[in-house]
Amino acid sequence: MTRLRALVRTPWFWGIVGIVLLLALNTLKDPTYLALGVNPTTGQLSGNLLDILRVSAPIVMIALGMTFVIATSGIDLSVGSVMAVGGAVAMVTLSGLGQPTSVGAMFTAIGLAVLLGIVLGAINGLLVAVIGLQPFISTLVMMLAGRGIARVITGGQNTNAENAPFRALANGQFLGLPLSFVLAIAIVIAVALVMRRTALGLMIESIGINPQASRLAGIRPRPILIAVYVLSAVLAAVGGLFTVSEVMTVDVSGTGYQMELDAILAVVIGGTSLAGGKFSIVGSTVGALLIATLNKTVLFLGVSAAATPAFKAIVIVALVLLQSERIRSLVLRRGNRTRTPAAPLSESTQPKEVVA
């Protein structure tokens, strides 16, 4: 019972509950929703669950990077634009090389996208840690500038390319699972090991809780802040690679559009406080899977584009309320009041028989 109570109080537990409820809702509409089959064209497994895992890979990446930025009491509004920049670099590189089967061309495109992500993240980090700008302002500037950089790279045109190894990043499979999802989880595990097996995670949390006290304790906030924003941009660029590899086209206006909102929601659903401090990598991953399931549910149920934000808001608000300790205590308290029978009267309070 104690373990169950502790699990219920874990924020990401309610994210899993939300995923299960959304899948159940889709199954009610179509009993075969969770079924898996084999695509006769490609010979690979196919199904709605695999589609959800595939589209969740970019969200997992940007949510992971956003987790550490928020843990330092910051915010990164530029991740969507950095996704577009990463995708633009990859498509232009592959298109220019013109080698549709070259693995070397794929790694060249990935390397250039990651390198530009490092540069953009370093600029964000320098603006925040050295210049002293508010994270909201500095990353808002980069959000606007990033789209412009993507347009400059592509000449303002949607750019496509052909490269089979690069396409396999999103459309390939490993042990029946989408390759992009497997790679995303591998990156999550690698980052989690670095954060939890070294002091870096604790230093990030200490900066978010009290930067002055952490500085007095010998922690240098500037290098850590720069590293956090660089990591966020690199993961956003990787998310952009996953996105464009699915269709082998970059849309400088649409790629990564409003993805920063999904990243922030995933992190909050996972239990990381916007005020900074402790973070949850597992929680952010669960939150990203929930956002991907929610997006897929919106399309599957045929919710109109005008009503989509309201539908998503209702689901997210419901989950946030379930995470609230105050809301849960009020519900439990009211439930106990309705179920508790009236206490029997004691001998001293029972009415005595009056003898005439």
Side-chain angles (χ1 to χ4, degrees), residues 75-344:
I75 199 76
D76 190 352
L77 300 178
S78 65
V79 291
S81 297
V82 175
M83 286 179 65
V85 172
V89 171
M91 288 296 99
V92 169
T93 301
L94 293 175
S95 178
L97 293 175
Q99 300 176 5
T101 60
S102 173
V103 176
M106 177 193 70
F107 282 116
T108 300
I110 293 174
L112 291 175
V114 170
L115 180 61
L116 190 52
I118 292 174
V119 172
L120 298 180
I123 293 174
N124 276 337
L126 290 172
L127 290 176
V128 173
V130 179
I131 305 301
L133 292 180
Q134 291 292 327
F136 183 91
I137 300 300
S138 59
T139 58
L140 179 62
V141 171
M142 184 59 68
M143 180 180 72
L144 300 175
R147 295 287 172 185
I149 295 172
R151 288 187 175 89
V152 170
I153 294 173
T154 61
Q157 303 295 323
N158 296 343
T159 305
N160 53 30
E162 286 298 330
N163 184 271
F166 188 83
R167 180 185 288 272
L169 288 178
N171 299 301
Q173 290 188 351
F174 179 78
L175 299 178
L177 296 175
L179 181 58
S180 59
F181 178 75
V182 174
L183 292 174
I185 295 301
I187 293 173
V188 168
I189 293 173
V191 172
L193 288 175
V194 171
M195 292 296 173
R196 295 309 186 188
R197 297 293 183 180
T198 68
L200 182 58
L202 291 175
M203 289 189 289
I204 290 174
E205 290 178 339
S206 66
I207 292 173
I209 295 173
N210 193 323
Q212 288 77 19
S214 63
R215 188 179 294 107
L216 293 175
I219 299 174
R220 299 173 59 192
R222 286 183 177 179
I224 295 175
L225 285 174
I226 294 174
V228 162
Y229 282 95
V230 168
L231 179 61
S232 178
V234 168
L235 292 175
V238 174
L241 295 176
F242 288 154
T243 300
V244 299
S245 64
E246 185 174 356
V247 294
M248 294 303 293
T249 301
V250 60
D251 181 357
V252 292
S253 299
T255 300
Y257 179 66
Q258 291 188 345
M259 290 291 286
E260 58 276 353
L261 301 181
D262 286 346
I264 295 171
L265 287 174
V267 173
V268 172
I269 290 171
T272 300
S273 172
L274 290 175
K278 291 189 175 297
F279 58 83
S280 173
I281 296 175
V282 174
S284 297
T285 305
V286 171
L289 288 171
L290 174 65
I291 296 298
T293 307
L294 181 56
N295 291 336
K296 184 74 173 179
T297 300
V298 169
L299 295 175
F300 182 73
L301 296 180
V303 179
S304 65
T308 295
F311 181 84
K312 293 177 67 174
I314 291 172
V315 175
I316 292 168
V317 168
L319 284 171
V320 173
L321 289 177
L322 287 173
Q323 290 178 350
S324 172
E325 187 71 27
R326 179 177 298 179
I327 296 296
R328 290 202 302 269
S329 63
L330 288 175
V331 173
L332 293 175
R333 190 182 307 167
R334 184 170 298 178
N336 291 334
R337 288 178 180 176
T338 57
R339 289 193 299 267
T340 303

